[in-house]
Amino acid sequence: MRIRRKAGVVLAALWMLLTVFGGTADAHFASTGFSDITVKDKSLEYNLFLLEKELLEAMPQLDGNGDGKLSEDELTSENATLTALVHDRLIVTGNSKVGTGIVLAAKKTEKAKVPMIEIDINYDFGQPVDRYMVQYNFYDGTNPDHRSYATIRMGQQSIVQVINSSNNILQMEGYHGADAGVTDTPAAGESGQQPVSTSSSWTSVLKEYVTMGMEHIWSGADHMLFLCGLILASGTSGWTMLKLVSAFTVGHSITLVLSAMDLASLSPLIVEPIIALSIVFVAFETMFRKRFPQLQGKQIAVTVMFGMVHGFGFAEILHGTMSGNIALPLFSFNLGVEIGQLVVLAIVIPILWLIRKLITSTSSRQVWWTYITSSIVGLMGLYWLIERLISEFNM
């Protein structure tokens, strides 16, 4: 009976841990879009990028033959439907006058190494505009956590903004051949807050990308579960834990830099299943290390290798958001990832230590602890691996 109670404590604690940090098991692009906005004197060009499944969720009637996919013919022939969607979900004003969005084209393309649907929209106001406003409402419906990484271009300037459900309005000064500026305002219902200046100063870039890095690792259940696996693999050795976490950091930092600079790339269709596989492997290695002596002494090399794969996952969003001088954004994003990682470790390590101390008073219970916890980690990784492979097979 005591063993059952303690087993219940372990399972409940680990489930709570995964619930708090886990989020969704979907790939990192589960609800992400891109907005390339070009501000001109009398018009605004908007290149909207959405995942095919999200576009179908927003406007299922686009799928004329009901096969769950969008063909080029359906995208070409249904411009009226797309126009209705654009008018409903995207409001653009110039000098407080609501503009009429003209859908110029809709096509399948690739953005940030991911297959997406691109919708090219033009808002022509016919006269010089001093201030534009964009209200983005594509986060409604089944994906309230949807966000769009907006790149706003005004002449030689290029500014990145993150649009989400709590920050879905952009205000931009019209471009008249001189410097232009961008501000973001709170969503409707939050008018008591003051608009925040988002000039392209180094401090705003630092803050923006550090936040993106932290949010990216916190929203990635797979990354955090892999960290939990490394903690379990280290046993009671703080030195081993430090070496494994450092190896993971070195690995993902290498590929994050290479991938963001377009010096190396790996499709998310490959990266996502391998990330899930890395979780299965680290759990397997922890449980059966003594039975496979050939794995001993190779933990660091294997962790660096898997860290490099995770780095490609971290870099996914950077492909569509950085242009020009990438040194500061890249440094800031990686710093945000490291801060987010340290926060996770600061919370997870004490919890696992307390549970281990509670139930592992004997060596037999230590073995039991290792098998139970590693099995949970491994089963989660296996579930995600199968889910992602099936999802890609059905694409």
Side-chain angles (χ1 to χ4, degrees):
M1 186 65 96
R2 291 180 61 189
I3 292 178
R4 289 181 181 178
R5 284 200 300 267
K6 291 179 178 179
V9 171
V10 173
L11 294 174
L14 287 174
W15 180 255
M16 179 185 68
L17 203 62
L18 293 174
T19 301
V20 171
F21 294 113
T24 177
D26 292 339
H28 304 105
F29 271 83
S31 188
T32 300
F34 294 90
S35 298
D36 288 355
I37 302 171
T38 302
V39 177
K40 296 185 176 181
D41 186 19
K42 301 179 182 180
S43 63
L44 185 143
E45 296 177 0
Y46 202 123
N47 303 111
L48 177 66
F49 297 85
L50 295 169
L51 290 173
E52 182 179 31
K53 67 175 185 178
E54 293 203 329
L55 185 56
L56 284 172
E57 287 170 358
M59 192 65 70
Q61 54 266 46
L62 282 172
D63 185 13
N65 57 15
D67 64 351
K69 299 180 180 180
L70 291 174
S71 66
E72 294 289 352
D73 288 340
E74 287 171 332
L75 288 171
T76 301
S77 63
E78 295 287 348
N79 270 355
T81 306
L82 284 174
T83 299
L85 175 68
V86 167
H87 288 171
D88 181 50
R89 300 296 184 91
L90 200 60
I91 300 173
V92 177
T93 64
N95 293 339
S96 300
K97 178 183 177 182
V98 178
T100 301
I102 304 300
V103 177
L104 303 178
K107 59 188 180 236
K108 291 188 174 183
T109 187
E110 189 176 271
K111 182 75 169 178
K113 312 295 184 182
V114 176
M116 286 193 166
I117 303 297
E118 177 183 353
I119 306 173
D120 299 334
I121 314 158
N122 184 65
Y123 296 87
D124 190 352
F125 291 91
Q127 59 184 3
V129 176
D130 295 321
R131 180 172 290 271
Y132 292 98
M133 187 187 76
V134 174
Q135 183 173 340
Y136 182 98
N137 295 318
F138 277 90
Y139 59 84
D140 290 342
T142 58
N143 293 310
D145 294 328
H146 172 79
R147 64 185 60 197
S148 182
Y149 294 94
T151 301
I152 304 156
R153 298 181 177 87
M154 294 162 284
Q156 299 300 313
Q157 282 196 353
S158 180
I159 301 172
V160 174
Q161 295 289 290
V162 181
I163 307 173
N164 53 42
S165 58
S166 62
N167 182 35
N168 69 321
I169 298 177
L170 297 175
Q171 291 192 34
M172 295 157 283
E173 295 179 7
Y175 178 71
H176 306 298
D179 289 339
V182 181
T183 58
D184 57 2
T185 66
E190 300 180 6
S191 57
Q193 301 181 21
Q194 295 297 318
V196 180
S197 174
T198 56
S199 63
S200 55
S201 67
W202 72 270
T203 53
S204 64
V205 172
L206 178 68
K207 178 182 177 181
E208 187 77 37
Y209 280 92
V210 166
T211 302
M212 285 169 57
M214 294 168 63
E215 290 179 347
H216 192 62
I217 194 168
W218 289 340
S219 64
D222 44 13
H223 298 312
M224 289 189 288
L225 196 62
F226 184 77
L227 282 173
C228 290
L230 292 181
I231 295 170
L232 295 172
S234 65
T236 59
S237 172
W239 174 238
T240 300
M241 184 188 305
L242 178 62
K243 290 193 295 183
L244 290 177
V245 173
S246 298
F248 177 65
T249 299
V250 169
H252 72 64
S253 296
I254 291 172
T255 46
L256 176 60
V257 172
L258 294 177
S259 184
M261 297 177 67
D262 284 329
L263 297 177
S265 64
L266 196 61
S267 169
L269 300 180
I270 299 174
V271 170
E272 298 299 337
I274 296 180
I275 287 177
L277 180 62
S278 72
I279 299 171
V280 177
F281 181 88
V282 74
F284 174 89
E285 195 271 341
T286 301
M287 289 189 291
F288 302 109
R289 187 180 304 140
K290 292 183 179 180
R291 299 186 185 182
F292 296 89
Q294 62 269 30
L295 295 177
Q296 298 182 24
K298 299 179 180 179
Q299 277 184 300
I300 301 299
V302 172
T303 303
V304 170
M305 179 185 69
F306 281 130
M308 293 177 71
V309 176
H310 282 254
F312 284 117
F314 292 148
E316 286 174 359
I317 64 171
L318 297 184
H319 288 293
T321 63
M322 295 198 304
S323 60
N325 183 9
I326 68 171
L328 181 58
L330 184 56
F331 167 79
S332 303
F333 182 83
N334 199 32
L335 177 62
V337 169
E338 300 313 318
I339 293 173
Q341 180 175 292
L342 289 174
V343 170
V344 172
L345 293 175
I347 296 174
V348 171
I349 291 174
I351 293 176
L352 292 180
W353 182 83
L354 287 172
I355 299 173
R356 181 188 287 130
K357 187 175 179 64
L358 175 66
I359 68 170
T360 59
S361 57
T362 65
S363 59
S364 61
R365 289 181 179 179
Q366 290 177 6
V367 172
W368 176 78
W369 156 265
T370 299
Y371 273 91
I372 290 293
T373 53
S374 297
S375 294
I376 293 173
V377 171
L379 287 173
M380 289 291 291
L382 182 61
Y383 170 75
W384 292 341
L385 175 62
I386 296 172
E387 181 188 52
R388 292 174 183 183
L389 289 175
I390 292 175
S391 176
E392 291 175 9
F393 180 78
N394 292 330
M395 288 184 66

